[in-house]
Amino acid sequence: MIRLLILSIFFSATMTIYDFKVPGLDGKEIDLASLKGKKVLIVNTASKCGYTPQYTDLENLHKVYKDKLVVIGFPANNFGQQEPGTNEEIGEFCKKNYGVSFLMAEKVSVKGDGIHPLFKYLTEEAKKMGVEDPIKWNFTKFLIDEKGKLVAVYPSKVKPMSEEITKHLN
């Protein structure tokens, strides 16, 4: 029992986002290990939210910093039922309304009992940085460095092209 506890502590201490693979909206797997050497911005998104226009800035961020940064949207229906669509509907909405070309994962849960393991990991990492409840609403942003470690968490109101984020990319 103690050995399992020690192993669990060791693996959680050495874990990075590179330990995760997620299904993409396009049906292809997104292997986060393939992103080593680039910064990654992970965002929980929703199609019917007051922050939904941030898709435009996320797309701009993706285009301007494509050599340094990978943006990944994770549709989630955790807040106010603002992402009720299917994966196919979400994909169509994002392309048609915002021209989204950055990576989009399949719909996940980012909070609560059914939380996706990646968001459980990100939440735990944020707590280590002193951010107790990082995901309060849609469009929370997690900035990961080139080595797979969490650098910063930004609440919904922080726009993707804001200096708070871009200062890490220049």
Side-chain angles (χ1 to χ4, degrees), residues 6 11 29 53 63 65 81 87 96 99 106 110-112 148 153:
I6 291 169
F11 284 114
E29 182 179 76
K63 287 179 176 173
Y65 295 98
Q81 303 295 305
N87 287 318
K96 178 181 157 195
E106 283 187 355
V110 299
K111 202 166 177 122
V153 180

Side-chain angles (χ1 to χ4, degrees), residues 58-125:
L58 288 168
E59 182 64 18
N60 288 337
L61 193 71
H62 162 69
K63 287 179 176 173
V64 171
Y65 295 98
K66 65 183 169 202
D67 295 334
K68 299 177 183 179
L69 176 75
V70 176
V71 176
I72 310 174
F74 283 82
N77 198 33
N78 293 90
F79 304 102
Q81 303 295 305
Q82 294 180 349
E83 189 57 274
T86 63
N87 287 318
E88 185 176 278
E89 290 167 340
I90 294 164
E92 287 175 23
F93 172 86
C94 290
K95 283 204 187 313
K96 178 181 157 195
N97 295 292
Y98 296 98
V100 167
S101 64
F102 57 85
L103 291 173
M104 289 289 293
E106 283 187 355
K107 191 163 142 180
V108 298
S109 179
V110 299
K111 202 166 177 122
D113 292 339
I115 189 171
H116 187 278
L118 174 61
F119 282 88
K120 183 174 183 357
Y121 166 77
L122 290 171
T123 298
E124 288 170 2
E125 291 300 299

Side-chain angles (χ1 to χ4, degrees), residues 152-163:
V153 180
Y154 303 98
S156 309
K157 66 181 180 180
V158 174
K159 294 180 180 179
M161 291 295 290
S162 73
E163 187 181 345

